[in-house]
């Protein structure tokens, strides 16, 4: 029942007093966005005034925006790598932040194949927790009764390492799930999960997925929402059910746990949950044995009101699959965040995926925006950055951030389009990651990396006097898990000595070995990416591709072979010319240890 209108919010009537305070906070932050931004910048520059980085540019304690923008350069990760490496190696002096760097958060791979290391400080957990605390109060405005059931969320931790200097390096969500903020979170009737902490914090991805699915099946009548971080994760969970339902049904029927589950804390916790339930086991078996899995989510979890997954950017490719499995349930994208900083939330979470816009919360960091022209190959000058409240509706920008943890005017690489404003805070649609060609899960492969992988793989063809004439690619998400498909057109100078299927399979593996550690972790440890595939096409295929592009208005003088394609007619043309298909015969090398 909504609280008194005294506590009402312009966003809508809150579900409870706690929600009312959260909605009021959103209103205050967004009404005063520019003042909040100035305060944030002042706090960051004041506390970090004696850091080596800011002293290098002789900012001398000045905190006004104009001086800051005039003196401090716009930078990329590569610019900061020497400082970050010193911290990673054990230098504890105030290099970037006056507060001690507590750990590194790892984000997508660099051109050297390693994950980026993003410095963070302990208080950032409070800031992230604050943004999390705003999500359900907003969702409760759109979906009533979420306190009457539970959420089935497939949440996982990933491997962590230590830098040479002894600091932890791990993904941002692993950091959060392993923190006391998550493990000791107070009970909230609007935010109860079916998965016990022990199952989420199990580092073995199979054991974690299996027991989370088992708990979700036991509580199928309580589940009101299903979720994972990315759409790919939820699709993978349904595929997991498809592969393992017989064993899961057996466990439910007998009240005993699959012997493959060996983690002591998981076994102890599941021992308190497991009980024999023949009726439920029969139900699971009867539903899952059917060939048709359309609507399987609502068949097994009939009270599900929505899916909570990110379906923007590269994840949009999973929307048809989720629609198939869920019978078209709404898909809620609730927040926008990255390893570098948490940015904002979706104030209309039940909108269509194509209409998702995130409202930037101005208290999370200091935000600037580099104008981006989608029709131009040149980048705007870093001197033309725009403040948060000064962006223009309809225009695209690259996000630039300054954080409490010591990133100053850092280019995140996200391209955003302004869709409107909530009060004085802009709302953005995520367009894409800059320069990213291929992505299946959390992996990001750019054109330079793909080119290098093709070059390395093609070395195996030299002894056959064969070379790669042209290539393109796409991320195939029709398979579960999804996988990279690379189309090759070959020039064979000696048809009597052409490369064998085995050699071409090894080319697939060579490409995988050349891709970044995030990709290889997805292949080896997370099982979130399937074996890379090379499809050989007939000679002349890429000329046909050019002819098709020119027939649609492309300039013959400016035409370049696209290194990634997703337009259905082009894929159909390529697939109609395929002569043979080849897959990586084994897993690429990957280890959780960082390269020194």
């Amino acid at each position: 029942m909504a609280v008194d209108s005294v506590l009402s919010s312009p966003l809508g009537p809150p579900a409870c007093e706690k929600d009312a305070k959260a909605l009021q906070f959103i209103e205050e932050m967004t009404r005063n966005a520019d003042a909040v931004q100035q305060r944030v910048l002042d706090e960051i520059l004041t506390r970090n005034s004696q850091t080596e980085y800011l002293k290098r540019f002789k900012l001398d304690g000045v905190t006004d925006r104009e001086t800051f923008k005039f003196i401090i350069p716009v930078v990329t990760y590569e610019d900061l790598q020497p400082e970050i490496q010193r911290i990673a190696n054990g230098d504890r002096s105030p290099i970037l932040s006056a507060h001690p760097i507590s750990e590194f958060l790892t984000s997508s791979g660099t051109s050297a194949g390693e994950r980026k290391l993003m410095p963070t400080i302990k208080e950032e957990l409070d800031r992230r927790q604050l943004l999390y605390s705003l999500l359900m109060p907003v969702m409760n405005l759109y979906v009533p009764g979420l306190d009457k059931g539970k959420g089935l969320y497939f949440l996982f931790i990933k491997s962590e390492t230590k830098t040479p200097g002894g600091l932890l390096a791990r993904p941002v969500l692993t950091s959060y799930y392993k923190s006391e903020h998550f493990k000791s979170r107070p009970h909230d009737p609007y935010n109860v999960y079916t998965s016990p902490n022990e199952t989420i914090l199990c580092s073995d991805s199979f054991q974690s997925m299996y027991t989370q699915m088992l708990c979700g099946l036991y509580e199928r009548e309580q589940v009101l929402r299903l979720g994972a971080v990315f759409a790919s994760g939820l699709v993978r969970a349904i595929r997991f059910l498809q592969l393992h339902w017989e064993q899961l049904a057996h466990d439910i029927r007998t009240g005993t746990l699959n012997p493959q589950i060996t983690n002591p804390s998981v076994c102890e916790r599941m021992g308190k949950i497991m009980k024999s339930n023949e009726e439920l086991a029969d139900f699971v078996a009867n539903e899952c044995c059917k060939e048709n899995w359309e609507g399987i989510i609502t068949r097994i979890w009939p009270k599900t009101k929505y899916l909570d997954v990110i379906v923007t950017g590269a994840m949009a490719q999973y929307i048809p699959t989720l629609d198939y499995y869920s019978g078209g349930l709404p898909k809620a994208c609730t927040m926008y965040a990255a390893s570098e900083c948490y940015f904002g939330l979706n104030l209309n979470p039940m909108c269509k995926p194509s209409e998702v816009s995130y409202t930037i919360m101005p208290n999370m960091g200091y935000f600037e925006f580099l104008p981006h022209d989608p029709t131009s190959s040149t980048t705007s000058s870093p001197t033309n950055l725009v403040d948060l409240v000064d962006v223009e509706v309809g225009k695209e920008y690259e996000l630039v951030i300054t954080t409490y943890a010591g990133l100053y005017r850092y280019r995140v690489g996200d391209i955003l389009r302004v869709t409107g404003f909530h009060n004085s805070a802009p709302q953005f649609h995520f367009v894409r990651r800059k320069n990213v060609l291929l992505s299946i899960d959390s992996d990001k492969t750019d054109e330079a990396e793909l080119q290098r992988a093709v070059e390395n793989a093609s070395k195996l063809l030299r002894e056959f006097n064969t070379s790669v004439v042209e290539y393109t690619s796409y991320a195939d998400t029709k398979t579960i898990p999804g996988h990279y498909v690379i189309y090759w057109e070959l020039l064979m100078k000696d048809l009597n000595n052409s490369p064998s299927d085995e050699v071409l399979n090894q080319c697939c593996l060579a490409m995988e070995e050349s891709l970044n550690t995030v990709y290889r972790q997805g292949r080896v440890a997370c099982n979130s990416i399937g074996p890379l595939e090379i499809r050989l096409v007939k000679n002349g295929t890429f000329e046909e591709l050019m002819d098709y592009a020119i027939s649609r208005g492309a300039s013959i003088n400016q035409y370049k072979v696209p290194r990634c394609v997703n337009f259905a007619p082009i894929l159909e043309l390529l697939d109609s010319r395929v002569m043979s298909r080849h897959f990586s015969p084994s897993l690429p090398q990957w280890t959780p240890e960082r390269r020194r």
Side-chain angles (χ1 to χ4, degrees), residues 497-512:
N497 186 31
S498 59
S500 64
D501 286 350
E502 183 180 351
V503 169
L504 290 164
N505 291 342
Q506 289 298 324
C507 287
C508 296
L509 181 58
M511 285 196 68
E512 292 197 303

Side-chain angles (χ1 to χ4, degrees), residues 473-486:
S473 64
Y474 92 105
D476 183 355
T477 57
K478 293 185 180 68
T479 59
I480 301 173
H483 70 291
Y484 288 8
V485 174
I486 317 297

Side-chain angles (χ1 to χ4, degrees), residues 370-580:
L370 181 61
H372 173 76
D373 182 357
T375 64
S376 172
S377 58
T378 59
T379 304
S380 296
S381 166
T383 59
N384 296 334
L385 270 67
V386 177
D387 283 325
L388 178 68
V389 299
D390 294 328
V391 295
E392 297 180 43
V393 172
K395 291 193 175 179
E396 291 186 5
Y397 299 88
E398 182 183 348
L399 180 58
V400 177
I401 61 170
T402 297
T403 70
Y404 287 89
L407 297 177
Y408 306 95
R409 309 198 81 195
Y410 176 85
R411 294 174 70 162
V412 174
D414 288 359
I415 304 298
L416 310 174
R417 183 186 305 114
V418 188
T419 58
F421 283 79
H422 181 76
N423 295 323
S424 61
Q427 298 177 309
F428 292 93
H429 176 73
F430 180 91
V431 178
R432 59 181 172 85
R433 284 284 298 170
K434 189 177 181 184
N435 300 328
V436 170
L437 280 186
L438 293 166
S439 179
I440 293 290
D441 191 45
S442 54
D443 55 298
K444 299 178 181 72
T445 298
D446 63 21
E447 185 168 339
E449 188 173 12
L450 181 63
Q451 171 73 28
R452 186 170 60 253
V454 170
E455 289 172 356
N456 289 342
S458 62
K459 291 175 184 176
L460 299 177
L461 304 176
R462 287 177 183 171
E463 64 178 286
F464 302 96
N465 214 2
T466 296
S467 59
V468 178
V469 176
E470 277 297 359
Y471 69 92
T472 189
S473 64
Y474 92 105
D476 183 355
T477 57
K478 293 185 180 68
T479 59
I480 301 173
H483 70 291
Y484 288 8
V485 174
I486 317 297
Y487 294 94
W488 274 11
E489 184 175 324
L490 299 182
L491 175 61
M492 300 183 192
K493 295 180 181 176
D494 182 1
L495 294 178
N496 295 319
N497 186 31
S498 59
S500 64
D501 286 350
E502 183 180 351
V503 169
L504 290 164
N505 291 342
Q506 289 298 324
C507 287
C508 296
L509 181 58
M511 285 196 68
E512 292 197 303
E513 294 283 8
S514 302
L515 297 175
N516 63 59
T517 189
V518 184
Y519 173 91
R520 287 181 283 116
Q521 181 178 7
R523 279 279 285 124
V524 177
C526 305
N527 301 314
S528 59
I529 304 172
L532 182 143
E533 176 185 3
I534 289 175
R535 296 180 187 173
L536 291 190
V537 296
K538 297 175 182 176
N539 288 348
T541 296
F542 280 85
E543 286 186 26
E544 291 184 55
L545 197 63
M546 181 177 71
D547 290 341
Y548 178 79
I550 291 169
S551 73
R552 289 176 53 84
S555 165
I556 192 167
N557 294 319
Q558 295 179 310
Y559 175 79
K560 292 192 299 184
V561 173
R563 292 308 178 205
C564 182
V565 294
N566 51 30
F567 185 48
I570 291 179
L571 288 171
E572 289 171 11
L573 188 157
L574 289 166
D575 282 332
S576 71
R577 305 297 188 270
V578 170
M579 298 186 298
S580 60

Side-chain angles (χ1 to χ4, degrees), residues 208-220:
S208 178
M209 176 77 86
Y210 190 94
T211 50
Q212 289 189 62
M213 182 65 77
L214 195 54
C215 291
L217 292 172
Y218 267 117
E219 301 201 63
R220 60 177 290 266

Side-chain angles (χ1 to χ4, degrees), residues 4-213:
D4 293 340
S5 58
V6 177
L7 293 173
S8 186
S9 158
L11 290 166
C16 59
E17 187 171 345
K18 180 183 172 186
D19 281 11
K21 291 178 180 177
L23 298 176
Q24 186 178 14
F25 176 78
I26 293 171
E27 287 299 303
E28 289 175 0
M29 290 295 104
T30 56
R31 265 199 306 266
N32 305 296
D34 198 49
V36 173
Q37 281 282 275
Q38 180 60 65
R39 173 178 60 77
V40 166
L41 183 62
D42 184 82
E43 288 174 357
I44 292 172
L45 297 182
T46 298
R47 69 153 64 171
N48 294 327
S49 63
Q50 296 306 303
T51 58
E52 178 185 316
Y53 188 83
L54 290 182
K55 287 170 74 174
R56 181 186 309 162
F57 297 104
K58 298 181 171 55
L59 198 59
D60 297 330
V62 174
T63 63
D64 69 275
R65 273 189 267 209
E66 290 71 25
T67 306
F68 169 71
K69 290 184 173 190
F70 182 73
I71 292 178
I72 304 300
V74 176
V75 296
T76 63
Y77 183 80
E78 286 67 30
D79 297 322
L80 296 180
Q81 214 159 4
E83 284 80 10
I84 288 172
Q85 198 58 54
R86 282 173 54 200
I87 299 169
N89 289 342
D91 191 332
R92 297 292 179 262
S93 58
I95 298 172
L96 295 172
S97 169
H99 287 218
I101 300 301
S102 57
E103 62 179 320
F104 285 106
L105 304 177
T106 56
S107 73
S108 55
T110 66
S111 56
E114 285 296 335
R115 287 179 180 268
K116 295 176 183 175
L117 293 176
M118 294 299 167
T120 192
I121 56 180
K122 281 186 177 178
E123 74 172 48
E124 278 301 306
L125 273 169
D126 297 328
R127 206 165 278 112
R128 294 197 286 271
Q129 179 64 41
L130 173 60
L131 194 63
Y132 282 126
S133 73
L134 304 176
L135 303 182
M136 287 310 292
V138 172
M139 185 57 71
N140 290 337
L141 296 172
Y142 294 88
V143 185
L146 291 174
D147 57 333
K148 303 297 190 292
K150 299 183 178 184
L152 169 50
Y153 281 77
F154 296 96
L155 307 176
F156 304 93
I157 62 169
K158 294 193 176 183
S159 61
E160 55 187 42
T161 61
K162 283 196 173 180
T163 67
L167 286 174
L168 277 174
R170 54 191 180 179
V172 62
L173 290 173
T174 297
S175 169
Y176 176 65
Y177 297 149
K178 296 183 90 168
S179 72
E180 289 305 311
H181 288 71
F182 179 79
K183 292 191 289 186
S184 302
R185 62 196 184 279
H187 176 76
D188 179 354
Y190 290 94
N191 213 356
V192 181
Y193 298 152
T194 57
S195 299
N197 286 355
E198 292 86 351
T199 63
I200 295 170
L201 296 173
C202 176
S203 59
D204 184 294
S205 61
F206 174 85
Q207 295 187 54
S208 178
M209 176 77 86
Y210 190 94
T211 50
Q212 289 189 62
M213 182 65 77

